[in-house]
Each structure stands twice: as structure tokens, then as C-alpha cells.
Amino acid sequence: MDLSRHGPAVSAPRVSIVVRTKDRPDFLARALSSITGQSFEGWEAIVVNDGGNPEKVAALVAGLPRAADRDRIRVIDHDESRGRWVSANAGVLAAAGEFLVLHDDDDSWHRDFLTRAVEYLDARPDRQGVVSRIEIVWEREENGHFVVDEREEFQAQLTAPLLADTLLFNRFVPIGFLYRRSLHAELGLYDEKLPVVGDWDFNLKVLSRGPLEYLGDQPLAYWHQRRGATGNAANSVAGARSDHAKYDASIRDDALRSWVESNGTGLVLYLTKYIDQRFVDVENGIRAEIVASSFWRRALRRVRRR
């Protein structure tokens, strides 16, 4: 796989930031502010404009106040929309940094996210990446501005981003994950056949290779969401919910087929029946408790009437 950079870039950036966008100038303006406001300055950003208006993207970059920031941002314009993970891979292939992170155009960071994450990985060369605690920012657009309604920590109960937990569903989103670019040489690019959940698919591969840790207890990555928003304002998890369910099932089925091809159907046949029987036992137990409870309530009423 060719992971060499394409086109001009800043001199030896440590971190490459990939931003995918399409016709969301307000969001992109906030994302660029999040990036250029980082206390860590050894970064480059690759903005992948996936079929959106190129003039608006170019104007936002040109309008940044610092020339140094403008010089380290490159834009890749797609003539037509090619999809979320094709765009992510375009950014990965253009990257020059030792470290990579996907910064969705509607998310943001604490100003010290990159500083803390790079320091962590520099001190732990054996680690393949690091995950920040993530804060969900519930917001709405009002009179051309974003108004925050509430904040909550995502998956606050977890002690680490573990493979065992991530097998159930994705436990961290791209905005909070800084990782070594060399992982793509070993694990491949993001799966372009997946319109959604490509990050979960990649995270499973990373966690299968080795463990990850949280970057302390303070959330430094902000996952912005908008309840009920549609169209360009929708968050991808809510806006493509049916696709998430479909491709979640597809990934699981592919993994099961691979397992069966190598190991046969014996174990999975046994577990399928075992788990199904446990559900039946639980359901029967609940029904028995309801019947017993109803019996004792009737008995108590009879005693009280005497």
C-alpha cells in the first residue's frame, strides 16, 4: 500500500488531520477553528471536499487569519460525492504525519487534545494509538449560531476502550482517536464498501492487534449531535440509523463466515442453541415470578377482606 503523501505539505508534520466535508460551511468553519486553535502546532490538515462547493471550502481556508495555518491546510476536491470512507482514505493517502486522526467537520477538540495525545504516544512507542474520553455536545442551530443544550460523557462507565466491549458496538468515535499512520500499512485502509461504521470496523482490527488506553479522565474530544436534525445538519449516526444496523449485521456475518470457514460450525451451533435456551429460561423465570406474585396478591386481598 502506498502511504506516501500527494501534493505539497508542511515540513515534517507530526500529525495529519483528515477532515471530510460536503456543503457544511458553518460546521467546517468551526472544525478549522478547532484545529488551528490547538496548542500543538506540528500538524497538517487535509480537507477532503466530497462533491461539495469547492469555492466555499477554499474561501474558508483563505479566510483563516494566520498564514501559517493556511499554509498547512490542503484541500482535495472530489467532482462528485464518493462516500465517507473513500474520502477518509483519500486523506490517509495524502497524509505525511507520523500520527493520524479523523476530525469530522461537525466535531471539535479541547485545545490541548493533540499536545496530550502526542506526548502520550511519544512516551509509549509500543502503543498503537490513544483514545480521549469523549463528551457528547447536544446542540441546536439558532439564528445562525450553535446553541449548546447539554453535555454528557460518552461511555463514562468504561475503564478502557476494550475489544470485549467494542465487539458489542463502537465505543469511541474518530474525533477522539489519534493513532500511528503505520497501522494502515499493516491493517489496510478503511473499508470503502461500508457507507457507515467504517470506523468501528477499523477499531476492531486495531483492538484485535493490541490494547488501547484512555488519555486520562478529562474529555478532550467533543462529539457534537443535534436531536431531530435532518439533511446536512444531521449527525451520521442518527441520520443513517438504518444503514448502521444493516452494515453492523454485515460485518458480523462476514466475521462469522470467516470463523466457520476456519473452524467449522460446531462451536457456533452449540452457542446459538445455548444462548437461545438461556433466553427461554429467563423468560420462563420472569413469567413464574409474575404468576407467583399475582397469587400472593390475591391471597393477601382475601385475608384483608375477612
Side-chain angles (χ1 to χ4, degrees):
M1 181 189 308
D2 181 11
L3 293 178
S4 61
R5 72 170 184 261
H6 301 261
V10 297
S11 176
R14 298 291 313 283
V15 175
S16 294
I17 305 163
V18 178
V19 184
R20 300 162 293 177
T21 192
K22 180 186 176 183
D23 290 333
R24 306 209 298 183
D26 291 340
F27 288 136
L28 181 57
R30 182 174 64 185
L32 293 176
S33 176
S34 166
I35 293 167
T36 59
Q38 288 294 293
S39 57
F40 180 86
E41 294 195 346
W43 56 264
E44 66 167 356
I46 301 106
V47 177
V48 183
N49 177 28
D50 190 34
N53 186 316
E55 287 79 14
K56 289 185 177 181
V57 175
L60 284 173
V61 175
L64 293 171
R66 296 199 310 171
D69 291 334
R70 297 193 297 270
D71 290 344
R72 63 180 117 189
I73 297 173
R74 289 177 285 154
V75 178
I76 298 173
D77 288 307
H78 290 168
D79 293 337
E80 58 184 13
S81 181
R82 301 179 188 177
R84 186 174 286 111
W85 300 108
V86 174
S87 296
N89 287 336
V92 170
L93 291 170
E98 177 184 356
F99 306 118
L100 261 174
V101 60
L102 303 187
H103 190 307
D104 283 348
D105 66 354
D106 60 339
D107 292 334
S108 63
W109 284 325
H110 184 283
R111 70 182 306 274
D112 292 329
F113 169 76
L114 288 181
T115 294
R116 294 273 304 280
V118 170
E119 286 176 350
Y120 174 96
L121 291 175
D122 281 345
R124 298 167 181 82
D126 59 313
R127 290 287 178 172
Q128 52 196 346
V130 65
V131 179
S132 167
R133 293 281 187 178
I134 294 166
E135 188 172 72
I136 300 176
V137 180
W138 293 103
E139 64 185 9
R140 55 189 163 85
E141 190 171 359
E142 186 176 283
N143 298 323
H145 299 282
F146 299 109
V147 178
V148 176
D149 289 325
E150 60 180 303
R151 296 172 177 264
E152 62 177 294
E153 188 171 338
F154 179 60
Q155 298 295 295
Q157 78 281 6
L158 300 182
T159 58
L162 302 177
L163 175 60
D165 294 319
T166 306
L167 288 170
L168 185 59
F169 62 87
N170 204 10
R171 301 293 181 151
F172 55 93
V173 291
I175 191 65
F177 184 32
L178 183 75
Y179 61 93
R180 299 187 190 277
R181 184 167 63 102
S182 58
L183 281 176
H184 284 293
E186 179 180 344
L187 302 176
L189 295 169
Y190 292 100
D191 189 342
E192 297 180 354
K193 299 190 303 296
L194 301 171
V196 293
V197 302
D199 52 336
W200 178 53
D201 177 65
F202 183 69
N203 293 346
L204 287 172
K205 294 173 183 176
V206 173
L207 286 165
S208 297
R209 183 183 181 277
L212 296 173
E213 290 182 326
Y214 283 127
L215 188 63
D217 295 329
Q218 177 190 2
L220 301 176
Y222 307 129
W223 184 19
H224 294 251
Q225 297 192 42
R226 295 154 296 280
R227 293 185 176 94
T230 58
N232 282 349
N235 178 273
S236 65
V237 173
R241 192 174 298 277
S242 61
D243 280 347
H244 277 259
K246 175 181 177 180
Y247 288 97
D248 176 293
S250 176
I251 288 173
R252 295 180 191 280
D253 202 52
D254 286 346
L256 178 60
R257 190 176 296 105
S258 177
W259 166 270
V260 168
E261 183 178 346
S262 299
N263 301 280
T265 58
L267 179 61
V268 291
L269 276 174
Y270 171 79
L271 288 176
T272 300
K273 186 61 179 178
Y274 177 84
I275 293 170
D276 178 66
Q277 187 60 50
R278 296 292 75 76
F279 276 119
V280 171
D281 293 344
V282 169
E283 184 177 354
N284 288 339
I286 292 172
R287 288 177 177 172
E289 289 181 5
I290 291 173
V291 170
S293 176
S294 177
F295 169 81
W296 287 111
R297 283 198 300 271
R298 291 196 300 272
L300 182 60
R301 285 197 294 269
R302 286 195 298 269
V303 170
R304 287 174 175 173
R305 286 197 295 267
R306 291 177 181 173

